[in-house]
Amino acid sequence: MHELSLVENMLQIIEDAAAEQGFAQVKTIWMEVGQLSCVEKNALRFCFSVVVDGTIVQHAKLEIIDVAGSAWCEHCHCEVAISARYDTCPECGAYTTKVIRGEEIRIKELEVE
Amino acid sequence: MCTTCGCGTDQVQLNGENLHCHERDNTGEHHYHAHGPGASTSRMVRIERDILSKNNRYANDNREYLAKNAIFMLNLVSSPGSGKTTLLIETIKALQHSLSIAVIEGDQQTDQDAARIRATGVPALQINTGKGCHLDAHMVRHAMQQLNLQNNSLLFVENVGNLVCPAGFDLGEAHKVVILSVTEGEDKPLKYPDIFHAADLMLLNKCDLLPYLSFDVERVIEYARRINPALQIIQISAAQGTGMHGWIEWIKAGQLSVRTDKTERVAALPLHSSD
């Protein structure tokens, strides 16, 4: 259940931003979660609902933006779409190794007041 | 509660002592409150921050400290029961006369593993994560501070037995070493790809049991390299001692490389003349 830790980290980043930028309440959180990241979205939403009580994000809506996975195929010398680490290149069938996108777990933007 | 760093929680313990908050108030109170409706207007704030950025900052601090003191740190990860502690004890016995060694043990509860390690004569510190499922860089930093680590030494971190969560948390180690025992399924690398992707070395343990099992070694190696083509693999039996030589030599070479790196860094420092 490392999603709990991730939500705690997220809360701290937002509280730091609140102190720096002077906002008192968060209405919406846009978060990017990569398809290849170690995050289970349902677990993340569940942990979010547990952790936010009494905090600045208590009434915030959590919007998760899916980031599709992609990797560099060494054989085809091009970027290809993958949905898991052990996916093969759809063009040549080789196992792709260099993940380009899809490992993100980032807070992108907040709507605040 | 914060399972990430233990601050503000009574769950995480170092050798049985609670970790205390020192960066953030742990009263449970927050200083921002919603105000009356209609008084404020919404605005957008760009954040663009990695959720793991704080852990990664601690990990980088750890890495810098370890490099400065030529300490070779390995993060041992596996599922529960793969033989990590036995492996560690046998590894310590093989190396403790030539190298200074310390161990950080991570478990949800009990200090049984640390006690087993201390019986070898090597200092060991137990982190109990309480409900946490992994160690993070901040917990390890606290433990490192308490261990009085020697220069030119080895530091082993035995992570919480879990093939999922420790993959995402950099501790500042030189390498993650994943241990897989042959009593588990060959398809573990495909089922838990993140940890095999994050590791640089896989130890295939309990190989002395292969004659009694239908475990296919070639297949597990093929699966593991699908996930991570650069993964080094050593077949061992920690209990019987087979294959341990390769592992021990790998550690010695790693320790030597951090020592050499340090010497080169020091040699590259500008000389200040006395006049």
Side-chain angles (χ1 to χ4, degrees):
Chain A
M1 212 46 161
H2 57 284
E3 281 81 1
L4 192 59
S5 309
L6 297 177
V7 171
E8 285 284 357
N9 284 354
M10 178 171 127
L11 184 59
Q12 188 147 22
I13 289 171
I14 294 172
E15 287 183 344
D16 290 349
E20 281 167 20
Q21 305 200 29
F23 55 85
Q25 196 171 10
V26 179
K27 288 173 77 177
T28 315
I29 302 165
W30 281 273
M31 197 174 164
E32 287 181 332
V33 176
Q35 202 173 10
L36 310 174
S37 72
C38 59
V39 174
E40 171 54 42
K41 283 189 288 180
N42 287 336
L44 190 77
R45 286 191 188 282
F46 173 76
C47 293
F48 182 78
S49 68
V50 170
V51 167
V52 298
D53 263 0
T55 73
I56 185 172
V57 298
Q58 185 170 6
H59 302 294
K61 198 160 64 171
L62 180 62
E63 296 280 1
I64 296 178
I65 304 163
D66 293 311
V67 180
S70 76
W72 183 256
C73 177
E74 294 287 352
H75 296 269
C76 304
H77 298 285
C78 66
E79 186 176 339
V80 296
I82 58 168
S83 58
R85 287 200 194 283
Y86 49 83
D87 272 359
T88 53
C89 168
E91 300 297 323
C92 72
Y95 286 103
T96 55
T97 53
K98 282 191 187 150
V99 172
I100 296 174
R101 245 188 313 282
E103 293 182 310
E104 300 80 350
I105 323 168
R106 295 164 62 82
I107 304 177
K108 196 168 170 56
E109 211 166 13
L110 303 175
E111 183 186 10
V112 302
E113 59 181 17
Chain B
M1 181 186 74
C2 176
T3 58
T4 294
C5 66
C7 288
T9 173
D10 57 2
Q11 295 282 349
V12 178
Q13 299 194 322
L14 282 181
N15 272 359
E17 297 286 324
N18 284 350
L19 261 182
H20 296 293
C21 177
H22 45 133
E23 280 197 5
R24 174 185 174 194
D25 76 67
N26 60 352
T27 59
E29 287 177 16
H30 295 266
H31 306 293
Y32 315 106
H33 303 281
H35 296 289
S40 56
T41 43
S42 297
R43 64 187 164 104
M44 304 300 287
V45 177
R46 288 197 84 74
I47 300 277
E48 300 285 359
R49 277 196 60 191
D50 193 319
I51 297 285
L52 285 169
S53 55
K54 189 179 165 201
N55 181 74
N56 293 344
R57 261 202 320 277
Y58 280 118
N60 286 340
D61 288 351
N62 290 350
R63 192 164 278 122
E64 208 169 287
Y65 171 82
L66 294 166
K68 208 167 98 188
N69 296 290
I71 299 165
F72 186 54
M73 172 167 136
L74 295 176
N75 179 3
L76 308 185
V77 290
S78 80
S79 43
S82 65
K84 278 197 301 298
T85 312
T86 302
L87 169 75
L88 213 39
I89 289 168
E90 296 308 315
T91 306
I92 288 166
K93 283 186 195 162
L95 286 166
Q96 69 187 141
H97 302 296
S98 55
L99 278 169
S100 171
I101 304 175
V103 177
I104 297 171
E105 281 287 340
D107 280 303
Q108 285 200 319
Q109 301 292 344
T110 86
D111 73 339
Q112 290 182 3
D113 280 358
R116 282 176 69 190
I117 300 295
R118 282 187 207 113
T120 65
V122 158
L125 198 132
Q126 181 78 50
I127 301 177
N128 286 134
T129 57
K131 302 222 185 306
C133 47
H134 58 269
L135 296 176
D136 65 46
H138 188 198
M139 293 175 192
V140 168
R141 179 182 162 125
H142 277 287
M144 280 164 50
Q145 284 164 347
Q146 288 195 20
L147 268 171
N148 190 24
L149 300 170
Q150 305 292 306
N151 289 356
N152 306 319
S153 65
L154 274 178
L155 174 61
F156 292 105
V157 177
E158 185 180 339
N159 218 313
V160 179
N162 179 347
L163 276 181
V164 184
C165 307
F169 291 81
D170 183 9
L171 305 180
E173 69 274 354
H175 305 283
K176 282 191 179 71
V177 177
V178 62
I179 297 120
L180 180 66
S181 66
V182 298
T183 51
E184 303 172 60
E186 296 104 342
D187 51 2
K188 279 277 168 75
L190 299 186
K191 286 179 169 171
Y192 302 95
D194 290 340
I195 203 103
F196 290 88
H197 182 77
D200 295 313
L201 173 69
M202 175 172 109
L203 295 176
L204 191 61
N205 194 18
K206 306 189 187 178
C207 282
D208 54 311
L209 298 177
L210 281 170
Y212 311 102
L213 303 166
S214 58
F215 189 91
D216 187 336
V217 172
E218 293 308 312
R219 184 175 294 170
V220 76
I221 292 173
E222 196 258 312
Y223 286 163
R225 292 227 166 101
R226 271 192 209 176
I227 305 298
N228 182 354
L231 187 68
Q232 293 181 279
I233 299 170
I234 305 175
Q235 298 177 41
I236 60 164
S237 163
Q240 301 299 319
T242 47
M244 289 291 281
H245 179 72
W247 159 235
I248 298 297
E249 291 304 310
W250 188 90
I251 297 170
K252 283 183 180 170
Q255 212 299 319
L256 189 63
S257 74
V258 295
R259 202 180 300 200
T260 312
D261 287 349
K262 187 194 166 192
T263 310
E264 283 172 2
R265 272 198 315 279
V266 171
L269 291 174
L271 279 175
H272 296 287
S273 61
S274 53
D275 45 61

